[in-house]
């Protein structure tokens, strides 16, 4: 099973997710082990620390890539609350949406399981199912502020096209020069080792919350 939570368009300053601490708070709020056991019954599930790039990437034999992406954020709602308070959301819970459009049949159950986890950690999370066409409209019109998006990436041997989708263009963190530089190194690599090193850096930037979680 490969499904994750994306925080798109984190460059929107009005979005609560523009703040790295809020993105990390959301990641620490989710008990991924409980979700794996209750929704997928533990079948075909392996922990992974990056929503993108995926665990099937050819770069997984690069130690830096596995260091960046091999371990999920720890479930720690107390840390989530601390990060939210540091970001100025201690008194008023930040309102966010859990958005999905039905890539996978489990997504509604996924949303219903995650919503109370986020709320217990200090968010005010609501669930919104949208149509595929609306997802495209929001992508083109900077409409993903304050949203966590369920998205199934699928297995890819090389993740470069997906990295450009997730970290560049309409969806990506347009304000982060390091992310753009890592993408350029991956696309311009002349050897496989250069490519793997660049993908490892993309994973690291995503995992530490610089790009999105």
């Amino acid at each position: 099973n490969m499904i994750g939570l994306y925080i798109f368009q984190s460059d929107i300053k009005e979005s609560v997710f523009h703040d790295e601490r809020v993105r990390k708070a959301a990641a620490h709020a989710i008990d991924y082990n409980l979700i794996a056991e209750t929704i997928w019954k533990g079948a075909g599930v392996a922990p992974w620390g990056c929503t993108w790039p995926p665990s099937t990437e050819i770069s997984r034999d690069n130690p830096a890539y596995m260091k960046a992406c091999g371990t999920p954020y720890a479930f720690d709602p107390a840390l989530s609350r601390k990060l939210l308070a540091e970001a100025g959301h201690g008194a008023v819970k930040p309102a966010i949406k859990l958005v999905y459009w039905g890539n996978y049949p489990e997504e509604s159950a996924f949303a219903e399981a995650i919503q109370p986890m986020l709320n217990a950690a200090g968010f005010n999370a609501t669930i919104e199912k949208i149509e595929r066409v609306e997802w495209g409209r929001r992508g083109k019109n900077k409409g993903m502020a304050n949203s966590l998006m369920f998205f199934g990436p699928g297995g890819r041997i090389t993740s470069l096209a997906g990295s450009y989708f997730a970290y560049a263009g309409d969806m990506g963190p347009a304000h982060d020069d390091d992310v753009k530089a890592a993408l350029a190194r991956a696309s311009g690599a002349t050897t496989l080792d250069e490519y793997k090193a660049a993908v490892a850096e993309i994973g690291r930037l995503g995992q530490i919350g610089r790009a999105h979680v």
Side-chain angles (χ1 to χ4, degrees):
N1 288 302
M2 297 187 69
I3 187 168
L5 291 174
Y6 285 77
I7 301 173
F8 290 123
Q9 300 173 348
S10 60
D11 54 306
I12 301 173
K13 292 183 178 180
E14 294 76 18
S15 175
V16 296
F17 290 122
H18 185 68
D19 192 314
E20 179 182 320
R21 294 167 295 188
V22 179
R23 300 196 294 272
K24 289 182 175 179
H28 283 296
I30 297 169
D31 187 346
Y32 61 88
N33 281 322
L34 180 61
I35 290 170
E37 293 168 3
T38 56
I39 296 178
W40 282 284
K41 311 302 182 185
V45 177
W48 186 247
C50 293
T51 301
W52 193 265
S55 60
T56 53
E57 232 287 336
I58 194 171
S59 301
R60 66 174 295 123
D61 65 358
N62 181 304
Y65 184 60
M66 294 306 295
K67 181 180 179 180
C69 291
T71 304
Y73 275 69
F75 173 53
D76 191 340
L79 179 55
S80 294
R81 290 188 288 270
K82 179 176 181 291
L83 289 166
L84 287 176
E86 291 175 357
H89 300 290
V92 179
K93 293 183 175 183
I96 63 172
K97 293 180 180 180
L98 298 172
V99 182
Y100 71 99
W101 54 268
N103 256 357
Y104 286 80
E106 300 93 348
E107 285 185 4
S108 60
F110 197 14
E112 290 172 4
I114 288 175
Q115 182 187 26
M117 295 177 186
L118 288 163
N119 289 343
F123 288 90
N124 177 17
T126 57
I127 299 171
E128 181 183 22
K129 183 178 181 180
I130 61 175
E131 299 299 323
R132 177 67 177 83
V133 66
E134 174 63 11
W135 148 248
R137 187 192 69 80
R138 293 185 188 186
K140 293 293 184 182
N141 294 283
K142 291 294 184 182
M144 295 301 294
N146 303 320
S147 299
L148 286 171
M149 179 76 194
F150 296 114
F151 200 79
R156 312 260 185 104
I157 298 299
T158 58
S159 62
L160 189 57
S163 291
Y164 267 95
F165 168 77
Y167 294 109
D170 295 325
M171 293 299 183
H175 60 298
D176 197 314
D177 290 336
D178 288 340
V179 174
K180 290 186 283 188
L183 284 169
R185 288 197 300 274
S187 62
T190 58
T191 68
L192 186 56
D193 285 343
E194 288 178 1
Y195 168 79
K196 291 178 180 179
V199 170
E201 180 64 2
I202 293 169
R204 186 188 73 82
L205 291 168
Q207 216 281 340
I208 65 173
R210 282 280 299 280
H212 60 72
V213 179

